[in-house]
Amino acid sequence: MNQRISLLKSFIKINLENLSGNVFKVNLAVTYKCNYKCRICNIWRLYLDEPDKAGCELDLDEIKIIFQRYNKQLIWVSLTGGEPFLRHDLTEIVGAIYENCKNLGIINIPTNGSLPNRIEKTILEIIEDFKIPLIYVTVSLDGDPARHDFMRGFNGAWARALDSLSRLHQISANYPNLSIDFEYTISPLNVGGLSPLLAEIDRYGLSNLKGVIVPAHTGNLYHNIQMQAYMSNSDRYIPTALKEIDYLIKVAPPSISDPHSIIRYLYLKLLRKYLSGATRKFFPCTAASGSCFIDPYGKVYPCIIENKVLADLRELEYDLNRAVKSNKFISFREKVEKGLCRGCWSPCEAYPSIIVHPTLSLYKSLT
């Protein structure tokens, strides 16, 4: 109950900040280091091709300054990667955000689940050291064990992910502000894998997890723009994906008493519309208005998809406020408002967009 009340409070704050024209959510890639070789993402290639670039990532002191200079507007911070748990100072990064952002309501961290011991230790540290209303951790699962290992390019990836998910599940039983789930990223390479995935999760005693479907995207964060045609090159991809979305909605319906389940339901219903051919104009987006993406080098983008640098925080003395008020930022915001961006339905932008447009979300989901 406390988690649900905290979530509702955060939703209200998000809408108030949105009405004031403030960026209320930051997606921060804390690193581009990754220990897997996923078939739909090329982040892992980055430091193989340019190893010296790893030393150019923002350090802890730089991250602290960013949140010292832009804080009271922030309600939600997503710490992504690469694999975020490869940062040994991840607890300290969360601490810097928590200490400076007094209205912080949500920290979410997606992970490939490859480091069970470190994930368990870090999440316990974060929970016990900082009173964050909601900590939301998702673990990637791409199908049954064989399919998942194939997609992640690493034998044993499934076992590690399930170990991490099981440990997080045990922690969440004692800490109501920790919410966990799995993310099933669909592409032509693994579509059709949801049913065997749910069967495996049930076998491990995790059937209470609802799961969320994420369509594979090409975009800036994933360094995979060249995969655009390949990503949708399958006659069975869309029809099968739509069936899987319908099935997940059926087996894990929303509850009126659970705001997160409602947002998830609306996201899935609108994902169905997006995959059925709707353009990005079908729904307004918070990119470059309510949310933005900061890469590990301090460069600011409108979102994780668009490969358009709007500002460099290192050149602006780490002042995100100057970035969001810049002509480049405002110009791209207008582009997004006109529906002229690349278009996507990624949870990073879809969830906050649904939260600030609840009535429209419901209407669109029903029509």
Side-chain angles (χ1 to χ4, degrees):
M1 182 60 72
N2 289 338
Q3 183 190 109
R4 294 169 184 175
I5 293 172
S6 296
L7 202 55
L8 283 172
K9 286 180 179 178
S10 293
F11 289 175
I12 292 169
K13 290 179 181 178
I14 283 170
N15 277 278
L16 290 173
E17 292 297 337
N18 185 64
L19 288 171
S20 300
N22 294 324
V23 169
F24 56 79
K25 183 192 178 192
V26 163
N27 301 300
L28 171 62
V30 293
T31 184
Y32 276 160
K33 295 176 183 176
C34 190
N35 49 353
Y36 282 171
K37 296 180 178 180
C38 298
R39 296 179 184 276
I40 56 171
C41 176
N42 281 329
I43 286 180
W44 59 273
R45 293 182 183 274
L46 186 62
Y47 294 149
L48 292 179
D49 297 338
E50 302 177 77
D52 292 343
K53 201 168 183 180
C56 298
E57 294 187 345
L58 294 167
D59 62 30
L60 178 60
D61 288 336
E62 290 178 297
I63 292 172
K64 284 180 179 179
I65 298 172
I66 292 171
F67 292 102
Q68 286 168 356
R69 298 187 175 174
Y70 192 92
N71 47 56
K72 65 180 181 179
Q73 305 95 325
L74 284 178
I75 314 300
W76 186 351
V77 179
S78 175
L79 300 176
T80 185
E83 171 48 47
F85 287 95
L86 286 173
R87 285 276 309 222
H88 291 274
D89 56 357
L90 188 59
T91 299
E92 288 77 13
I93 291 172
V94 173
I97 298 166
Y98 174 76
E99 295 297 335
N100 290 288
C101 303
K102 300 307 179 185
N103 287 315
L104 182 69
I106 306 169
I107 285 280
N108 81 273
I109 310 174
T111 174
N112 61 24
S114 59
L115 304 164
N117 291 334
R118 189 181 299 178
I119 290 170
E120 180 181 33
K121 177 178 180 292
T122 303
I123 291 302
L124 280 170
E125 289 173 348
I126 291 171
I127 291 172
E128 293 172 355
D129 292 350
F130 317 117
K131 297 185 184 304
I132 301 169
L134 177 63
I135 301 162
Y136 182 48
V137 183
T138 54
V139 178
S140 297
L141 291 173
D142 297 332
D144 59 34
R147 195 178 320 217
H148 179 80
D149 286 3
F150 168 78
M151 292 299 297
R152 296 288 153 175
F154 185 88
N155 289 333
W158 166 269
R160 293 189 182 193
L162 258 292
D163 188 4
S164 295
L165 197 58
S166 297
R167 295 187 193 203
L168 290 168
H169 187 255
Q170 290 175 358
I171 296 170
S172 68
N174 297 316
Y175 295 95
N177 62 326
L178 175 63
S179 179
I180 66 163
D181 217 333
F182 68 89
E183 282 193 353
Y184 168 61
T185 302
I186 48 170
S187 73
L189 291 175
N190 71 322
V191 69
L194 180 63
S195 290
L197 166 58
L198 293 176
E200 286 289 332
I201 285 178
D202 186 56
R203 196 165 65 85
Y204 278 83
L206 299 171
S207 57
N208 64 317
L209 300 181
K210 296 179 181 297
V212 64
I213 294 175
V214 180
H217 284 88
T218 56
N220 169 54
L221 174 63
Y222 311 107
H223 294 266
N224 64 351
I225 298 295
Q226 73 278 13
M227 292 184 179
Q228 182 120 21
Y230 161 76
M231 285 291 204
S232 56
N233 186 23
S234 171
D235 292 338
R236 61 183 283 271
Y237 172 51
I238 298 300
T240 307
L242 295 179
K243 289 178 181 178
E244 293 196 310
I245 293 168
D246 291 341
Y247 182 71
L248 196 60
I249 291 173
K250 180 181 177 181
V251 298
S255 167
I256 194 68
S257 63
D258 182 358
H260 181 223
S261 75
I262 295 172
I263 301 299
R264 171 186 167 278
Y265 168 79
L266 293 171
Y267 163 79
L268 289 172
K269 291 287 285 187
L270 294 173
L271 170 60
R272 197 184 196 290
K273 191 178 289 284
Y274 171 75
L275 289 178
S276 296
T279 66
R280 190 60 184 88
K281 291 183 180 180
F282 90 99
F283 201 83
C285 182
T286 59
S289 56
S291 62
C292 67
F293 170 62
I294 303 174
D295 77 6
Y297 320 112
K299 290 183 170 59
V300 182
Y301 297 78
C303 61
I304 67 169
I305 301 297
E306 288 284 352
N307 190 26
K308 174 72 173 177
V309 178
L310 303 181
D312 187 333
L313 292 180
R314 282 174 166 155
E315 295 177 357
L316 297 177
E317 299 178 316
Y318 307 98
D319 191 343
L320 183 58
N321 197 52
R322 288 173 61 187
V324 301
K325 291 182 177 179
S326 68
N327 289 334
K328 273 189 176 181
F329 207 93
I330 293 169
S331 176
F332 203 92
R333 178 186 304 160
E334 293 171 351
K335 181 179 177 179
V336 173
E337 289 171 350
K338 293 176 182 177
L340 300 176
C341 59
R342 284 188 59 217
C344 74
W345 195 244
S346 163
C348 291
E349 277 70 47
Y351 272 46
S353 297
I354 289 169
I355 291 168
V356 300
H357 298 288
T359 305
L360 181 62
S361 302
L362 182 59
Y363 171 75
K364 290 283 188 178
S365 72
L366 296 173
T367 58

